């Protein structure tokens, strides 16, 4: 992105109430058991999409391992909620903060899940070459989870986006030429 380009604008986000975070965390962890998640991660690993290189040639096993680690991180995550005002303050402060390397003492818990009452950011993800315009678009970052890398040094951070399943599923079904049955 050049200096004259503005970052993508986050889309609408209807945040959960703080009391709903345990159920949200459980639903996210459960969603990682979906075979579609394994297929999507296998595709991403095979095509080197993202920042995670495959450790083995058995991509389905590698995807299953990574998803199991994420489920474990979510299951043990301490929960945090950031209000609208604090999210706005964080975004304003981020404009003037210097680049910073994250250290273990910078995070509030070894394993955590934080939800922002407003999107904390957005990205324009890399799409497949034949992705129709009505499927591609800006993705709002509304939550993050973090924790150990599963035996490796360092920390894993996952950024979570808002999703509108009622709108997205029909588009993906149309794009993938799938029927409701």
């Amino acid at each position: 992105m050049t200096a004259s380009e503005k970052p993508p604008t986050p889309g609408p986000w209807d945040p959960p109430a703080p009391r709903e975070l345990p159920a949200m965390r459980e639903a996210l962890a459960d969603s990682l058991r979906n075979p579609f998640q394994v297929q999507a991660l296998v595709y991403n690993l095979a095509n080197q999409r993202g920042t995670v290189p495959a450790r083995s040639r058995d991509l389905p096993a590698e995807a299953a391992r990574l998803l199991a680690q994420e489920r474990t991180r979510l299951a043990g995550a301490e929960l945090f909620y950031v209000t609208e005002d604090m999210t706005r303050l964080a975004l304003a402060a981020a404009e003037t903060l210097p680049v910073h390397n994250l250290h273990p003492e910078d995070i509030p818990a070894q394993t955590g899940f934080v939800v922002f009452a407003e999107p904390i950011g957005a990205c324009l993800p890399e799409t497949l070459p034949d992705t129709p315009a009505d499927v591609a678009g800006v993705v709002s970052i509304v939550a993050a989870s973090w924790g150990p890398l599963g035996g490796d040094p360092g920390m894993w951070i996952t950024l979570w986006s808002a999703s509108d399943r009622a709108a997205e599923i029909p588009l993906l079904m149309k794009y993938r030429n799938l029927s409701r049955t």
Side-chain angles (χ1 to χ4, degrees):
M1 180 180 313
T2 65
S4 64
E5 292 179 85
K6 289 191 169 196
T9 304
W13 163 233
D14 183 21
R19 70 180 178 282
E20 297 173 306
L21 264 57
M24 182 182 191
R25 173 186 59 189
E26 188 176 321
L28 282 173
D30 192 50
S31 76
L32 298 176
R33 288 183 167 81
N34 186 318
F36 176 77
Q37 294 288 350
V38 175
Q39 291 173 355
L41 188 50
V42 166
Y43 177 85
N44 289 337
L45 290 168
N47 291 284
Q48 299 176 343
R49 294 169 49 98
T51 59
V52 180
R55 295 166 113 192
S56 77
R57 292 183 190 186
D58 184 352
L59 297 183
E62 183 71 3
R65 180 185 69 80
L66 291 169
L67 291 170
Q69 287 181 1
E70 186 64 27
R71 285 193 308 274
T72 299
R73 281 188 290 274
L74 281 170
E78 191 170 332
L79 300 175
F80 299 90
Y81 187 84
V82 182
T83 64
E84 295 94 341
D85 289 342
M86 292 306 294
T87 302
R88 288 184 203 127
L89 285 171
L91 289 169
E95 293 180 15
T96 59
L97 290 174
V99 173
H100 176 73
N101 290 323
L102 191 62
H103 301 283
E105 60 271 11
D106 295 333
I107 57 174
Q110 182 179 356
T111 304
F113 177 64
V114 60
V115 174
F116 300 91
E118 289 189 356
I120 192 70
C123 66
L124 189 58
E126 177 186 341
T127 58
L128 301 174
D130 57 346
T131 302
D134 61 347
V135 175
V138 174
V139 174
S140 296
I141 306 302
V142 298
S145 58
W146 65 89
L149 280 170
D152 294 328
M155 179 182 10
W156 182 282
I157 300 173
T158 299
L159 301 177
W160 297 93
S161 62
S163 60
D164 179 357
R165 290 184 178 144
E168 293 170 4
I169 290 173
L171 285 174
L172 287 169
M173 289 176 67
K174 174 183 161 189
Y175 175 59
R176 299 283 185 208
N177 198 24
L178 299 172
S179 70
R180 272 282 206 221
T181 57

